[in-house]
Amino acid sequence: MSSDNDSLKGFQRICSLKDLHENVGKRFIVNDVEIAVFLVNKKIFVLNNICPHQHSALIYDGFIEDEFVVCPAHGWMFNLESGKTPTGGRGLEAYESTIVEGEVYVKVEEKKYSW
Ligand code: FES
């Protein structure tokens, strides 16, 4: 295995970079986890797609405001990078991503639901 492949250990390809559009989220399911993927200022951000407010799978449909995504249902905000709320609350789980040869890869660990 080349070192390139090694660096993608644990990552899964979800789409091509050209499938993503600036400030428009997209949802995917990886390892049974629903994720929301955003392209903002040419950077990829990956968060859990389930808003903790009412457990709605809506984060991908949120709008981007500075470094936050705003849930379209009732306006809760989450930091794109960390998933945290503006006050530093836990918010959403954030996941690693990388782009290799124009393809987008994410690392999403399977997680037990606590609700
Ligand atoms: S469901 Fe997201 S803010 Fe209410």
Side-chain angles (χ1 to χ4, degrees), residues 51-56 58-59 71-78:
C51 182
H53 176 218
Q54 288 190 347
H55 298 157
S56 314
L58 281 176
I59 297 301
C71 178
H74 317 94
W76 282 28
M77 295 169 79
F78 306 95

Side-chain angles (χ1 to χ4, degrees), residues 9-110:
K9 203 166 176 280
F11 282 85
Q12 281 191 37
R13 180 190 171 277
I14 49 163
C15 64
S16 297
L17 187 56
K18 61 174 165 44
D19 298 331
L20 299 175
H21 303 286
E22 278 281 331
N23 298 332
V24 181
K26 237 178 153 63
R27 78 166 140 179
F28 296 90
I29 294 176
V30 177
N31 289 337
D32 289 334
V33 179
E34 215 177 295
I35 58 170
V37 179
F38 300 94
L39 179 68
V40 180
N41 294 329
K42 298 196 170 74
K43 249 189 103 182
I44 305 267
F45 298 94
V46 186
L47 296 173
N48 194 284
N49 189 41
I50 315 293
C51 182
H53 176 218
Q54 288 190 347
H55 298 157
S56 314
L58 281 176
I59 297 301
Y60 78 101
D61 205 21
F63 54 96
I64 306 299
E65 206 174 281
D66 301 325
E67 70 269 41
F68 291 92
V69 56
V70 182
C71 178
H74 317 94
W76 282 28
M77 295 169 79
F78 306 95
N79 186 279
L80 284 166
E81 191 104 42
S82 66
K84 291 190 171 158
T85 64
T87 53
R90 210 166 62 93
L92 298 168
E93 188 127 358
Y95 307 100
E96 281 180 65
S97 64
T98 186
I99 301 165
V100 179
E101 291 172 4
E103 302 297 308
V104 182
Y105 293 80
V106 296
K107 191 176 193 174
V108 176
E109 254 121 63
E110 206 166 351

